[in-house]
């Protein structure tokens, strides 16, 4: 499945986030807890927040009509990430793959639906 939106800056950041999600499943595989996931999850939160900020600023500048809904999805995802960090701090290692899969699933669905729609609007308006 192709997750590219056609906006190079967005595609590069999406690729990096997906790589980070995959890394959650592989970090500290030999130990019995998921505590080692926490620093990586915190880096994901920081990177995602920056990505979302850029995306929302771009949407604002373009006058995108879907910006408010898109921003709400971003906020909900960041909240979910923060909840996952709280859980991961005390979880056993069996949750790593589940956390990685959940993050990847949400983000890929977001890219395929909301981000694709935004990119299509931007790319169809050559004045932006």
């Amino acid at each position: 499945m192709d997750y590219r939106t056609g906006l190079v800056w967005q595609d590069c950041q999406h690729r990096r986030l997906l790589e980070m999600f995959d890394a959650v499943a592989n970090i500290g595989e030999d130990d019995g807890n998921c505590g080692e996931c926490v620093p990586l999850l915190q880096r994901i939160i920081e990177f995602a927040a920056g990505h979302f900020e850029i995306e929302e600023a771009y949407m604002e500048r373009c006058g995108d009509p879907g910006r408010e809904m898109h921003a709400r999805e971003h906020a909900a995802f960041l909240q979910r990430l923060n909840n996952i960090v709280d859980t991961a701090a005390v979880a056993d290692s069996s949750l790593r793959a589940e956390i990685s899969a959940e993050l990847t699933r949400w983000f890929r669905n977001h890219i395929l639906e909301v981000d694709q729609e935004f990119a299509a609007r931007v790319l169809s308006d050559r004045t932006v």
Side-chain angles (χ1 to χ4, degrees), residues 5-22:
T5 64
L7 300 175
V8 175
W9 61 269
Q10 190 180 51
D11 291 337
C12 290
Q13 291 179 4
H14 287 166
R15 189 174 319 109
R16 179 67 186 127
L17 279 164
L18 290 169
E19 289 169 357
M20 293 170 84
F21 296 159
D22 288 343

Side-chain angles (χ1 to χ4, degrees), residues 50-67:
H51 167 71
F52 294 158
E53 187 177 308
I54 292 167
E55 202 169 81
E56 291 168 21
Y58 198 85
M59 295 176 88
E60 179 80 25
R61 192 178 88 212
C62 296
D64 191 82
R67 190 186 75 73

Side-chain angles (χ1 to χ4, degrees), residues 25-66:
N26 299 319
I27 195 167
E29 286 183 330
D30 296 330
D31 68 17
N33 66 51
C34 196
E36 289 186 31
C37 296
V38 173
L40 176 56
L41 289 167
Q42 290 169 331
R43 285 194 304 276
I44 290 171
I45 290 169
E46 291 172 13
F47 190 90
H51 167 71
F52 294 158
E53 187 177 308
I54 292 167
E55 202 169 81
E56 291 168 21
Y58 198 85
M59 295 176 88
E60 179 80 25
R61 192 178 88 212
C62 296
D64 191 82

Side-chain angles (χ1 to χ4, degrees), residues 63-74:
D64 191 82
R67 190 186 75 73
E68 288 182 22
M69 183 275 304
H70 204 126
R72 283 192 300 273
E73 283 197 19
H74 289 163

